[in-house]
Amino acid sequence: MNPVSAETNSTSETTNAHVAAGANAPLEKIALETYVPPAKPSLVGLSRAEIAEQLGAIGVAPAQRKMRVQQLWHWIYVRGAKSFEEMTSISKEMRAQLDQHLTVARPEVVAEQVSNDGTRKWLLRLPSGDSIEKAHEVECVYIPETDRGTLCVSSQVGCTLNCSFCHTGTQRLVRNLTAGEIVGQIMVARDRLNDWADRVTPTGSRLVTNVVMMGMGEPLYNFEAVRDALLIVSDNEGIGISRRRITLSTSGVVPNIIRTGDEIGVMLAISLHAVRDELRNELVPLNRKYPIAELLQACREYPGSSNARRITFEYVMLKDVNDSLEDAKLLVKMLKGIPAKINLIPFNPWPGTRYECSDWDQIEKFSEYIFNAGYSSPVRTPRGRDILAACGQLKSETEKLSVRERQALRAMAMTD
Ligand code: SAH
Ligand code: SF4
C-alpha cells in the first residue's frame, strides 16, 4: 500500500479515536520524510556558508566567494530578487552561470484571499517528494494593524502532536518544512505586498514587521530548520526583523525551549491551556512526556527573559473545561516568579470537535481576575481585553476566517 492510501484510509478512524479518547490518544504521530529537493536547488533558506558551498560546487573561485555571497544575500533578502537576472551588480557571465545551476525560488502561491479588514491569507504549495502523493499545502496569514503587520508562519505540514482542541492535530499527513520553505513564507508575503526594501509602501515603512510561528505544526519538533530560518529572518543585513518581533509558540517541547533562547533568541510563547496535569494531559497530550512543573522550570530558565521580554502563556478558553475562576487563580499562582503575560484565546470550533468556546462573560471574568493580578500590558488598555475584542469582532464580521487566521489575529496583539 502506498503512503497515500494509508493516509486516506486511516484519517477518519484516527480523527474519531482522537476526539473520543482524549488523554489516551497517542502522544504523537510519525513524521514522513518525503521531501525531495528540486533538481536546481534554491538559495533561499541557506546560510552564508551553505551558499558559499553551492558557489564552490559550480566552480566559483574561493577568493570570490565571500563577495558573491554578500551580493547574493543583499539581492535575495533586501531587494527580494526573484531571479539572478535582476542582480545587476553581478556580472552577466556570473548571473548566467548561477542561473544554470541554482534558483532563488520560494514556495508557489496557489491562492490568495483578502478579507475586508486587510487580512490576507496565502495558500502555498510545496513539493511532496514523489509523483504519487499530492502536493503538500500550508497557509500563511498576514494581519495588518496601525502600528505593525504580523505574519503567521507554519513550521510543518500538519503536526505530529494531537492536542484535542486543535484542528491541525487531526491532520494525518505530516512533514517538516525546510528552512527555505519557512523563510519562503516571509518572502512570499513581501512579494505579494510589494514590501521589499527598495519599494515604496503605503506607510513608508515595511508592512511585515512581526513574525509569529503559530501556523501549522510544532516548531520545536522541527528545531534546526526553524532555527536556521529565523536566523535568516532576523539577520540585520537581510530581511532584518528583530528577534524581539519574532515569537515562537510551543506546546511544550521542554528540551528545546532552552535551545530556543540560546540558539535563536526569539520571544517565547507557551501553549499552556490548563493548570493541572490531569487536564493538560488530555488537552495537550505532550504533557504526559513533559508535565507542567518541568515546563515552567524551563520557562524560569529561559535565556534572556525579563520584565521587558516576557514569556507569553497562551490559554484557550474552553467552556466548562478550563475556564473557572479556580483555574484563573491557580494560573496566576503558578506563574509567580516568571516574567509572563497571558494571552486568552477564545476557542475556535471546528467540525467534529467536542469543545465549545467559553461564554463571553466567563471570558471577561477570567480576564478580569488575571488583569487585577497584574497580568496585562503596561498601557491603560488591558492587552488581554484588546485581544478578546479583536476576536469578538472577527467572529461577527468575518465568519469565514480559518483557525490560523484567528490565531494570527489574536497573536498580533501579543508581540511588541
Ligand atoms: N504548535 C504550536 C504552534 C501552533 S498553534 C503550539 O501548539 O503552540 C498556535 C496556537 O493556537 C497554540 O496556542 C494553540 O494551542 C492554539 N490553538 C490551536 N487550536 C485552536 C483552536 N481551535 N482555537 C483556539 N486556539 C487554538
Ligand atoms: Fe500541534 Fe500546536 Fe495543534 Fe497541538 S496546538 S496539535 S502542538 S499545532
Side-chain angles (χ1 to χ4, degrees), residues 165-167 213-215 217-219 249-251 271 273 314 316 345-348 350 403 407 410:
F165 57 90
C166 174
H167 202 22
M213 295 301 300
M214 290 191 186
E218 170 46 61
S249 172
T250 179
S251 57
S271 293
H273 308 315
E314 299 164 279
V316 64
I345 316 170
F347 171 63
N348 180 40
W350 38 272
V403 178
Q407 286 167 358
R410 142 188 86 53

Side-chain angles (χ1 to χ4, degrees), residues 377-393:
S377 106
V379 262
R380 226 164 276 147
T381 331
R383 177 165 280 168
R385 289 177 190 174
D386 281 345
I387 301 160
L388 300 185
C391 289
Q393 274 165 355

Side-chain angles (χ1 to χ4, degrees), residues 3 12 56 79 99 117 121 125-126 141-142 171 195 246 257 281 285 288 307 332 335 376 379 389 406:
S12 59
R79 313 283 286 267
D99 188 50
D117 63 3
K121 181 171 84 175
R125 183 173 293 157
L126 308 170
V141 181
Y142 169 72
Q171 192 174 324
D195 189 33
I246 302 176
I257 289 180
N281 286 346
R288 287 187 266 145
N307 281 341
V332 164
L335 294 184
S376 69
V379 262
R406 285 161 196 253

Side-chain angles (χ1 to χ4, degrees), residues 7 28-33 159-161 172-175:
E7 275 306 322
E28 56 194 278
K29 303 175 282 259
I30 309 290
L32 298 171
E33 285 302 342
C159 184
T160 57
L161 299 172
R172 282 277 295 154
L173 184 69
V174 183
R175 94 154 158 83

Side-chain angles (χ1 to χ4, degrees), residues 58-233:
I58 66 167
V60 176
Q64 267 201 27
R65 282 180 213 158
K66 196 169 173 205
M67 186 255 296
R68 293 297 180 209
V69 169
Q70 242 171 352
Q71 288 175 319
L72 286 164
W73 197 267
H74 178 81
W75 279 107
I76 299 170
Y77 294 121
V78 177
R79 313 283 286 267
K82 288 183 183 153
S83 69
F84 295 112
E85 197 46 45
E86 291 170 48
M87 304 183 183
T88 45
S89 62
I90 300 176
S91 74
K92 247 194 152 130
E93 297 72 45
M94 176 61 75
R95 279 187 267 158
Q97 195 185 348
L98 288 165
D99 188 50
Q100 208 183 336
H101 302 280
L102 299 161
T103 71
V104 282
R106 36 278 229 162
E108 182 193 352
V109 182
V110 285
E112 176 177 64
Q113 275 177 283
V114 185
S115 110
N116 302 341
D117 63 3
T119 300
R120 280 166 195 254
K121 181 171 84 175
W122 297 285
L123 184 66
L124 308 177
R125 183 173 293 157
L126 308 170
S128 68
D130 65 39
S131 52
I132 312 163
E133 204 182 308
K134 69 177 174 82
H136 295 166
E137 285 172 346
V138 287
E139 282 172 0
C140 175
V141 181
Y142 169 72
I143 313 100
E145 272 199 303
T146 42
D147 63 338
R148 77 188 71 175
T150 303
L151 194 70
C152 182
V153 169
S154 296
S155 56
Q156 299 181 308
V157 176
C159 184
T160 57
L161 299 172
N162 296 305
C163 301
S164 54
F165 57 90
C166 174
H167 202 22
T168 306
T170 64
Q171 192 174 324
R172 282 277 295 154
L173 184 69
V174 183
R175 94 154 158 83
N176 281 339
L177 299 190
T178 63
E181 289 167 340
I182 298 168
V183 176
Q185 294 173 61
I186 291 113
M187 311 224 9
V188 160
R190 287 228 156 135
D191 290 343
R192 303 298 303 176
L193 295 166
N194 211 9
D195 189 33
W196 290 105
D198 58 342
R199 298 184 202 153
V200 180
T201 61
T203 58
S205 54
R206 299 275 67 80
L207 297 173
V208 178
T209 59
N210 292 52
V211 168
V212 290
M213 295 301 300
M214 290 191 186
M216 275 185 184
E218 170 46 61
L220 296 192
Y221 268 0
N222 186 13
F223 186 83
E224 278 79 13
V226 167
R227 175 196 58 203
D228 295 352
L230 294 182
L231 292 180
I232 292 175
V233 172

